[in-house]
Amino acid sequence: MKSHARVVVIGGGVVGVSTLYHLAKKGWSDCVLIERRELTSGSTWHAAGLLPLFNLSYSVGQIHKYSVALYKTLEAETGQPVGLKQVSNIRLARTPDRMDEFLYYKGIAETLGVKVNVLTPAQVKEIWPLANVEGILGAIQHPDDGYIQPADLTQALAKGARTRGAEIYRHTTVTGISRAKSGEWQVATDKGMVTAQHVVCATGNFARATGRMLGLDIPVIPVEHQYVVTEPHPAIVERQKKGLPEMGVLRESDSSWYMREENGGLILGPYEPGAPCCYVDGPSEASEYELFQEDLERIAPHIETAIARVPAFGEVGIRQVYNGAICYTPDGSPIIGPAPDLQNIWLNEGHSFGITAAGGAGWQLAEWIVEGESSVDMLGVDPRRFGPYAGRGYLREKNEEAYANVFTMHYPDEERVAARPLKQAPCYDRMAKLGAVFGSVYGWERPGWFAPEGYELSAADKAYPDVLLNHNHPAQPVDGKPPREKWSFRRSNYFKFVGDECKHVSNAVGLQDMTPFAKYEVSGPGAEAWLDGLVANKLPARIGRVGLVHMLSKNGGVRAEFTVFREGPGQFYLVGPGALERHDWDYLLKSRPRNGSVDLQKITTQLGVLVLAGPRSREVLQKLTDTDLSNKAFPWLTGQTISVGAATAKVLRVNYVGELGFELHHPIEMQNYIFDKLMAAGKVAGIRPYGIKAMIALSIEKSYRLIGREMSIEYAALESGLNRFVNLNKGQFVGRDALVAWQQNGFSNRFVTMEVDGVTDDGSDVRGSEPILYKGRMIGRATNGGYGWRVGKSLALGMVRPDLGDVGQELDITILGKNHRAVVVPESPFDPDNVRLRG
Ligand SMILES: Cc1cc2nc3c(=O)[nH]c(=O)nc-3n(C[C@H](O)[C@H](O)[C@H](O)COP(=O)(O)OP(=O)(O)OC[C@H]3O[C@@H](n4cnc5c(N)ncnc54)[C@H](O)[C@@H]3O)c2cc1C
């Protein structure tokens, strides 16, 4: 065994081997993989080998697409057959909502370059003659989908890696990982020590045990998953004899199962509620090719629906049941990227569709390690999308929920209920009393919108076709109240209530809880120089000034956005999106100078945030403070620490809704005091709370960009239209030169705001990820959208081909399968001169 390697990959399942393969392919041949038993002896060997391309996440969609393209080439490259069969995959829709989901997904797939056909029931019958198509409204088909032999795939990747010089040590167990004085990692095994620059953990069901070696709580706990293999069926054998094509993979989403042919018989794999977590403390030391006791009772309802759909399935005996461990994370997507807090430790864990994802996951992780940046925006799979709150108890609840929801409808406004309400701002009960219908982000409860007293969904709202997966609202809402929110791909029951909130903020005054904002303090003699070199804009020049700054990737894309308040000499207060707290913190922490000149603190949970917005907000706040709040004394984009009654708050004159407004960042323990004072002082002005849905609708009218939508590492900061916030002349900052080079080579995207025609109340506004067309050809994608209540128009934000982004340009946006005319309008359709904000 080598004593030194550039990278040690731990774990010889398909994911670890693919990572090794891609590192070697990038020219890093000096890499080794360590596997405690045989390659594939974890979860890989028993996988059904399906390669589903369907996924609503941008990151996962890109990864899956790459995998299938790679797997097609592997046999020719390595000489090792991989058993790839692109037999296609059909997903059946039994309900109108499911059809909406498929049409929404079809748009996403188009923007990803994934082929999807819409089929009629008759077409399904033609391809799957053994299926009964009664009750089917339609289907989508992925012609490139299929399945592969997971063990052969792993061996092919191993061969490709070895041919390029990488080494694989089987029957070798990693027993500890420690940091050498040099900064390198020392990987201890039962056969000796390897010192490495980088370590990749791809240890499947052992993820948490591996994490313990590093002091990391990796948010992965597996769940039991079963599939059933039948004896051969005469009709299938007959088809084979006749040389007819395989019928392909069939998925009945509304009954939560997949099915495909296997050796003349069928495989059925259900995703059932009630499947338990397993290996909570990790598998035993002896674990190898391990399966659990089958539990057919648990999947009986799924078997029944499968027999109803494909009677042949019930006509033959069961040959074998596989019940194995399948890794899960709280949102069901894998964990691919840098480990939080630790330099050069990389995670490729938590794969529930690991056979499908392995190719793309290895590709992007290798790029990240070798080139310092992935080329795909990986926010959707970034390990740092979960915070320290995602501990063992949370995972047990959330991962079982994620498993049970594999086939449920992925409504864009769905709010799952497990492990909630976990993090509550002190004003949670007050907001609940005022009618808040909560959503959850990063473990925090956040008011989404406010329902009138006594409001609940009507029977018609709750009515849902009789299918196995039957939901369009939580059966038991977190707050114990009757369901008040119906999830939909279209304008839903809360649409008009959100509209009322928007109008109220614009006409009077509203109060919002934004406590989940991530908050950081940066101070010390080196603070200013360090921050200045990290962000693209100039820092606010004077004490008391507030600005918006962006941290770029080394390639000139946008990594993070902060509001920055210069609080005192060498003292800065940074505010970022709550959902990205760990992500942003990790970048700040890892780029901080090591000479002690910068003090960096994360203070999210020390401060609550209440936002007072609307034309009467000044009048309300002025009643509670002796600080002069006039425009002259307290202008837009400034901040002051003031008294609010007997409490103290850092008040920033900024907000995300484009109105006169104040953000009150206050000691969290004073929140309810301040809340009550504001509500009382605002009574005359008619103060009312508003939620995140209103905030987003209002922000779209201002063309405000969001990380992960209009801003990403895939778009140059100037493509995202951040010209006002990028100061190329201020001196060096991370990403500056790359951005200039990108500009010189020419941009391929341009940020635009559009008005969308023809959206009716039973239709849908743009939600993001819809294709944008010009003369029938795709030239961009929508990134966000909604109804603008102040301008009275359906609006969309998007990225389009630069020559098609001029004001007045007519385009089309495909929303749920229907093309809508969209016209590019000037940025900030509401109050483009910011008169309200400055007022
Ligand atoms: C019944 C079932 C059906 C499935 N069907 C599909 C499917 O159709 N399509 C699909 O895409 N996915 C499917 N999956 C999921 C798929 O099996 C996994 O996502 C995939 O195998 C994960 O691969 P991995 O490399 O991450 O993990 P694993 O294959 O579990 O590999 C991890 C390896 O790390 C090794 N290891 C751990 N700790 C150490 C250590 N300390 N030192 C050395 N080595 C270590 C282990 O021995 C193991 O070999 C299925 C899963 C189940 C249970």
Side-chain angles (χ1 to χ4, degrees):
M1 195 162 82
K2 280 185 173 177
S3 61
H4 281 77
R6 217 157 177 186
V7 183
V8 170
V9 178
I10 312 173
V14 66
V15 172
V17 178
S18 170
T19 311
L20 186 75
Y21 167 87
H22 283 94
L23 286 165
K25 206 168 177 178
K26 285 207 148 285
W28 281 27
S29 51
D30 182 16
C31 298
V32 302
L33 181 145
I34 298 175
E35 163 56 47
R36 50 188 282 285
R37 294 285 196 269
E38 284 294 345
L39 297 184
T40 78
S41 64
S43 271
T44 297
W45 71 278
H46 59 51
L50 298 166
L51 302 173
L53 285 163
F54 181 89
N55 205 291
L56 294 161
S57 149
Y58 174 79
S59 313
V60 178
Q62 290 282 17
I63 285 168
H64 285 191
K65 182 180 119 183
Y66 171 90
S67 292
V68 174
L70 170 75
Y71 298 166
K72 275 202 257 188
T73 65
L74 274 180
E75 181 173 345
E77 182 201 318
T78 63
Q80 161 76 48
V82 295
L84 176 65
K85 290 200 177 170
Q86 286 184 290
V87 291
S88 97
N89 163 45
I90 293 173
R91 281 174 189 260
L92 305 174
R94 291 180 58 186
T95 70
D97 279 13
R98 184 67 73 179
M99 217 50 226
D100 276 357
E101 182 190 45
F102 287 171
L103 292 175
Y104 177 56
Y105 166 72
K106 186 172 187 298
I108 296 179
E110 273 163 28
T111 65
L112 290 170
V114 169
K115 266 188 257 163
V116 175
N117 303 321
V118 178
L119 303 183
T120 61
Q123 287 171 312
V124 173
K125 185 77 187 171
E126 224 170 88
I127 301 166
W128 248 93
L130 297 194
N132 160 17
V133 293
E134 209 176 297
I136 297 297
L137 300 185
I140 49 168
Q141 181 198 40
H142 282 93
D144 292 334
D145 246 63
Y147 61 92
I148 200 162
Q149 296 306 324
D152 295 342
L153 167 65
T154 311
Q155 293 302 344
L157 291 164
K159 201 165 168 193
R162 286 189 180 111
T163 309
R164 293 177 171 88
E167 292 181 18
I168 295 178
Y169 307 124
R170 288 150 48 238
H171 300 284
T172 308
T173 303
V174 171
T175 53
I177 308 166
S178 57
R179 193 112 205 212
K181 278 209 181 100
S182 62
E184 290 173 301
W185 291 100
Q186 290 177 323
V187 181
T189 78
D190 53 357
K191 306 249 168 86
M193 174 92 82
V194 191
T195 303
Q197 277 170 28
H198 300 265
V199 175
V200 176
C201 306
T203 53
N205 303 320
F206 293 79
R208 291 178 70 71
T210 316
R212 278 196 291 275
M213 296 185 207
L214 289 157
L216 287 176
D217 197 0
I218 299 179
V220 173
I221 290 184
V223 177
E224 285 185 22
H225 175 53
Q226 310 181 71
Y227 67 84
V228 177
V229 188
T230 72
E231 298 290 353
H233 189 283
I236 298 175
V237 174
E238 188 58 25
R239 282 180 62 86
Q240 288 176 341
K241 274 195 202 142
K242 284 188 183 155
L244 291 170
E246 261 193 47
M247 293 176 290
V249 185
L250 188 70
R251 285 184 162 85
E252 179 156 318
S253 304
D254 299 295
S255 301
S256 199
W257 50 254
Y258 57 79
M259 186 185 282
R260 72 164 166 89
E261 290 181 36
E262 171 80 351
N263 290 331
L266 292 164
I267 281 184
L268 174 75
Y271 280 83
E272 74 284 16
C277 280
C278 55
Y279 295 146
V280 174
D281 293 312
S284 73
E285 264 188 35
S287 176
E288 181 180 12
Y289 300 111
E290 194 165 26
L291 290 174
F292 307 119
Q293 178 63 43
E294 66 201 50
D295 184 351
L296 287 178
E297 206 171 303
R298 206 167 67 219
I299 55 174
H302 304 268
I303 293 178
E304 275 167 36
T305 55
I307 293 173
R309 182 64 57 213
V310 182
F313 181 79
E315 291 163 6
V316 280
I318 290 178
R319 186 156 73 188
Q320 195 166 0
V321 180
Y322 289 83
N323 184 8
I326 191 161
C327 277
Y328 263 84
T329 64
D331 62 9
S333 290
I335 282 180
I336 309 166
D341 306 345
L342 300 173
Q343 290 280 9
N344 298 342
I345 296 286
W346 304 86
L347 305 179
N348 207 347
E349 300 280 17
H351 285 273
S352 56
F353 287 98
I355 312 304
T356 323
W363 163 57
Q364 281 303 296
L365 196 61
E367 241 178 36
W368 217 334
I369 296 170
V370 173
E371 283 157 31
E373 197 74 72
S374 59
S375 54
V376 170
D377 174 10
M378 298 284 277
L379 265 187
V381 293
D382 195 300
R384 300 159 296 184
R385 70 190 186 279
F386 303 112
Y389 61 88
R392 189 182 144 112
Y394 181 84
L395 296 175
R396 288 188 83 132
E397 291 187 32
K398 277 312 240 192
N399 294 11
E400 287 182 3
E401 179 190 57
Y403 174 87
N405 278 278
V406 164
F407 276 107
T408 55
M409 209 83 67
H410 299 300
Y411 291 106
D413 49 359
E414 181 191 19
E415 292 285 352
R416 293 187 186 162
V417 298
R420 289 179 56 199
L422 186 63
K423 296 196 221 168
Q424 301 168 33
C427 69
Y428 175 84
D429 288 338
R430 281 164 168 76
M431 286 296 198
K433 235 186 208 155
L434 291 166
V437 180
F438 289 92
S440 164
V441 63
Y442 200 68
W444 285 98
E445 291 297 309
R446 253 187 348 186
W449 60 282
F450 289 79
E453 176 103 45
Y455 178 82
E456 60 181 280
L457 286 182
S458 66
D461 274 336
K462 285 187 284 190
Y464 200 85
D466 181 23
V467 292
L468 203 56
L469 289 188
N470 184 347
H471 82 313
N472 62 6
H473 60 274
Q476 286 171 317
V478 177
D479 53 18
K481 298 202 171 112
R484 290 173 293 169
E485 178 170 294
K486 176 183 159 179
W487 303 322
S488 174
F489 289 87
R490 295 165 187 262
R491 288 181 181 169
S492 193
N493 69 307
Y494 53 80
F495 180 70
K496 62 178 189 305
F497 299 118
V498 171
D500 291 345
E501 287 171 30
C502 292
K503 286 185 238 166
H504 192 78
V505 170
S506 189
N507 295 331
V509 57
L511 183 65
Q512 189 188 16
D513 171 28
M514 286 297 279
T515 298
F517 266 150
K519 305 149 207 122
Y520 319 92
E521 257 174 13
V522 186
S523 59
E528 178 156 7
W530 171 63
L531 265 186
D532 189 51
L534 203 62
V535 301
N537 202 353
K538 276 195 173 162
L539 294 172
R542 290 193 310 277
I543 292 173
R545 297 290 302 178
V546 175
L548 191 66
V549 298
H550 300 87
M551 196 159 92
L552 304 195
S553 71
K554 76 182 208 359
N555 297 332
V558 185
R559 185 184 307 295
E561 180 181 71
F562 302 104
T563 298
V564 53
F565 170 39
R566 189 189 282 259
E567 251 189 305
Q571 201 184 334
F572 299 87
Y573 174 60
L574 268 56
V575 184
L580 296 174
E581 185 201 56
R582 196 176 215 176
H583 173 269
D584 294 351
W585 172 247
D586 195 48
Y587 279 108
L588 291 172
L589 202 67
K590 285 177 180 166
S591 59
R592 179 181 55 156
R594 312 220 163 261
N595 57 12
S597 62
V598 176
D599 184 36
L600 188 59
Q601 301 288 335
K602 178 166 52 160
I603 53 167
T604 301
T605 51
Q606 291 175 30
L607 297 179
V609 181
L610 293 171
V611 184
L612 194 64
R616 299 190 71 177
S617 55
R618 178 183 287 125
E619 165 196 333
V620 173
L621 189 58
Q622 190 67 79
K623 287 187 193 163
L624 301 172
T625 183
D626 54 3
T627 301
D628 180 0
L629 300 182
S630 69
N631 213 12
K632 196 154 175 250
F634 201 153
W636 183 43
L637 294 179
T638 63
Q640 295 183 41
T641 297
I642 69 169
S643 291
V644 181
T648 301
K650 256 193 264 275
V651 175
L652 311 185
R653 245 202 84 181
V654 290
N655 64 74
Y656 206 67
V657 297
E659 298 287 346
L660 172 67
F662 302 84
E663 277 184 5
L664 282 71
H665 298 241
H666 51 267
I668 201 154
E669 61 277 18
M670 298 182 193
Q671 179 161 78
N672 283 340
Y673 171 86
I674 295 176
F675 187 95
D676 293 343
K677 285 278 175 197
L678 289 170
M679 289 305 282
K683 202 163 179 187
V684 182
I687 192 167
R688 278 174 51 182
Y690 67 99
I692 200 80
K693 289 188 195 300
M695 188 200 82
I696 290 170
L698 293 161
S699 76
I700 288 169
E701 288 174 298
K702 294 295 295 171
S703 303
Y704 289 160
R705 293 87 158 144
L706 286 174
I707 296 283
R709 287 181 179 263
E710 300 77 23
M711 298 185 287
S712 107
I713 61 152
E714 286 191 40
Y715 298 131
L718 298 173
E719 289 183 322
S720 301
L722 297 179
N723 309 52
R724 268 180 300 144
F725 304 102
V726 174
N727 193 327
L728 293 173
N729 301 321
K730 75 166 195 172
Q732 233 2 290
F733 58 87
V734 175
R736 183 202 172 277
D737 294 348
L739 181 60
V740 171
W742 198 339
Q743 189 175 28
Q744 280 160 0
N745 292 335
F747 292 138
S748 35
N749 295 288
R750 180 166 164 193
F751 172 72
V752 289
T753 304
M754 294 160 285
E755 277 178 19
V756 185
D757 284 355
V759 180
T760 49
D761 274 357
D762 59 353
S764 172
D765 297 289
V766 162
R767 291 185 179 270
S769 297
E770 292 84 356
I772 303 179
L773 315 176
Y774 177 65
K775 294 190 174 166
R777 291 194 53 195
M778 201 180 72
I779 51 90
R781 69 169 169 151
T783 48
N784 208 346
Y787 190 71
W789 291 91
R790 290 175 297 196
V791 298
K793 301 257 168 53
S794 183
L795 299 173
L797 308 180
M799 303 296 284
V800 300
R801 220 173 70 191
D803 58 310
L804 295 171
D806 290 341
V807 169
Q809 177 70 53
E810 291 194 19
L811 302 165
D812 285 303
I813 303 186
T814 313
I815 309 174
L816 300 182
K818 196 173 145 209
N819 281 355
H820 291 252
R821 179 174 167 271
V823 180
V824 178
V825 294
E827 216 174 270
S828 186
F830 176 74
D831 187 19
D833 299 324
N834 292 331
V835 174
R836 296 276 189 130
L837 280 163
R838 293 173 202 276

